[in-house]
Amino acid sequence: MKYPTALLFGCALIASVFSAENKSPATAATSAHAGAAVQWIAFPDSRLELRGLPWFAENSPELWRLPKSAKPRIPKGAWARAIAPDGGRIRFTSTTSRLALRVEVVSTQKKLAYFDAYVDDQPVGSAGSTGPKTTELVLFADRDGRSKNLTIYLPNTSEVRVLAVGIDPGATLTVPPPFAAPAPLMCYGSSVLQGTGAEHPSKTYPAVLARRLNLDFVNLGFGGAGKAEPDVVALVNQPDACGYLFDLGKSYGAQSEEAFVKMLATIRAKHPAVPILCVTPIYSTNEPKDKAYFEKSVRLRNMMRDAAVAQRNAGDRNIHVVEGLELFGPADQDLFRDPQHPNDAGNERMGERLVDLVRRLVLNRN
């Protein structure tokens, strides 16, 4: 399978919008200081659509990615990462000329937890805060008063709470337009899929892919804990989905193929015709330097590919292999944040390379 050269859609615009936030915490974590000039809407509110967090009704006000009732049976590694709202988004349509947030960063961390704002799928601002503390952030100001579709991407890899959303007094507030599919793209895997190397939550490759195709998505990437454990897979399998994107990467470890094969069978038993895309591990700059790491990478690529191909040969025409080395390979090594994880631009490239494939296999398959 060959992929087209990445188009890096919107990179220049994103760089300019986000440049201030990348300078220092002082510029990124801007307090609104707007007082009565901002109408604060307590969150949650029925007019503020929350996407990407299927169990929020159970977890509220926590923005966790797995249901709190499942915590006793979820492996500690997965749960420790599930408390961050990766892939979570707040959506609404409004005539507001400004957008502010009152947030609490729960995690004790020096890393900025970024909130990214998009208007009609174009980046317009970003602000972040360290924690633990409560702060008010301005995502944008001084825009026109026309009706606009707004999306706020919640931070990746940081536990936060949203306390209120700030808009102009008297601005309209209505539901946003629907997605291109009635159910989300369900993404499960490890650190690359979660977006560990991405600084901004809107730049993880599932977010880029979903935004380009107007798809809802759920990001169940769990750092180094994407191991296809039955209790985790049962939750991945619970919500309806328009497609499944599995990118377990190197975190699958030294397991045999049994867990991976059982995961595919579990999904297929409940969702007999929903497309499944299996991504083999992408390139790592460790591979040329570490023989054992290289051999592990080759073994995992072969194991995941063979499992998907075997199911396809058995008659499942809706399971597909995405070769990780073609999705992000040696020619892309200038876009790594660390030896294993693509940076913002690298995630953008990965998302763009998947657009045509997912459009054909998920949106246009009928």
Side-chain angles (χ1 to χ4, degrees):
M1 180 187 306
K2 298 297 182 184
Y3 290 86
T5 302
L7 299 178
L8 296 178
F9 178 79
C11 265
L13 179 57
I14 289 172
S16 65
V17 168
F18 290 168
S19 60
E21 288 74 49
N22 292 331
K23 290 180 180 178
S24 71
T27 57
T30 306
S31 175
H33 292 309
V38 172
Q39 175 189 353
W40 289 105
I41 301 168
F43 181 84
D45 185 286
S46 60
R47 297 168 295 174
L48 301 171
E49 180 182 277
L50 181 66
R51 292 286 184 159
L53 302 175
W55 295 280
F56 182 68
E58 176 181 336
N59 295 336
S60 179
E62 307 299 345
L63 298 168
W64 297 340
R65 289 181 290 147
L66 294 178
K68 61 184 178 182
S69 59
K71 182 179 179 180
R73 61 182 187 273
I74 296 300
K76 290 182 179 179
W79 185 262
R81 293 159 178 82
I83 60 177
D86 304 66
R89 287 144 290 134
I90 297 172
R91 303 173 71 239
F92 57 98
T93 297
S94 179
T95 56
T96 188
S97 67
R98 76 192 81 182
L99 180 62
L101 290 176
R102 185 176 291 136
V103 301
E104 178 186 359
V105 178
V106 180
S107 308
T108 301
Q109 60 182 47
K110 294 181 179 179
K111 171 184 174 289
L112 283 171
Y114 281 110
F115 296 79
D116 297 343
Y118 277 63
V119 168
D120 298 328
D121 291 332
Q122 296 298 318
V124 294
S126 181
S129 178
T130 56
K133 65 182 176 184
T134 299
T135 189
E136 292 176 2
L137 306 174
V138 175
L139 297 180
F140 67 78
D142 301 321
R143 298 189 68 86
D144 60 61
R146 67 179 176 84
S147 181
K148 52 187 74 71
N149 301 316
L150 298 165
T151 302
I152 302 168
Y153 288 82
L154 304 180
N156 50 327
T157 70
S158 299
E159 185 182 7
V160 300
R161 297 188 185 104
V162 175
L163 307 179
V165 175
I167 62 174
D168 293 337
T172 62
L173 187 61
T174 57
V175 297
F179 290 104
L185 180 68
M186 185 65 67
C187 306
Y188 170 58
S190 192
S191 55
V192 172
L193 179 133
Q194 184 179 2
T196 296
E199 188 167 17
H200 287 275
S202 62
K203 301 293 288 178
T204 68
Y205 87 82
V208 172
L209 169 65
R211 188 166 56 248
R212 289 280 279 109
L213 293 175
N214 187 31
L215 284 176
D216 191 10
F217 75 102
V218 175
N219 188 328
L220 295 181
F222 299 124
K227 299 182 181 297
E229 298 98 335
D231 286 326
V232 177
V233 171
L235 292 172
V236 174
N237 201 27
Q238 194 177 100
D240 288 336
C242 67
Y244 292 90
L245 180 65
F246 293 139
D247 181 1
L248 278 64
K250 311 291 172 51
S251 74
Y252 189 80
Q255 299 180 90
S256 71
E257 68 175 7
E258 181 180 0
F260 196 84
V261 170
K262 186 175 180 180
M263 175 184 71
L264 298 181
T266 298
I267 300 296
R268 188 50 81 221
K270 183 176 180 182
H271 305 282
V274 177
I276 298 174
L277 281 69
C278 296
V279 181
T280 64
I282 66 168
Y283 181 71
S284 166
T285 57
N286 285 330
E287 293 183 32
K289 300 176 289 186
D290 186 330
K291 182 180 178 182
Y293 190 94
F294 172 75
E295 291 174 348
K296 173 185 175 181
S297 301
V298 171
R299 183 187 70 81
L300 287 171
R301 289 177 188 127
N302 290 339
M303 183 274 294
M304 293 175 183
R305 180 190 307 111
D306 290 349
V309 169
Q311 187 162 316
R312 187 171 178 85
N313 288 341
D316 186 348
R317 309 311 294 174
N318 286 315
I319 190 166
H320 312 274
V321 176
V322 178
E323 295 291 352
L325 290 179
E326 296 184 11
L327 184 60
F328 204 79
D332 304 304
Q333 60 186 295
D334 58 321
L335 297 181
F336 277 98
R337 183 165 186 162
D338 60 44
Q340 299 180 72
H341 303 110
N343 60 19
D344 279 3
N347 272 270
E348 182 91 12
R349 184 172 291 181
M350 291 177 66
E352 288 292 339
R353 285 175 173 168
L354 282 170
V355 166
D356 288 343
L357 182 70
V358 174
R359 179 185 289 116
R360 175 170 58 85
L361 297 180
V362 175
L363 287 180
N364 298 338
R365 65 193 182 99
N366 294 324

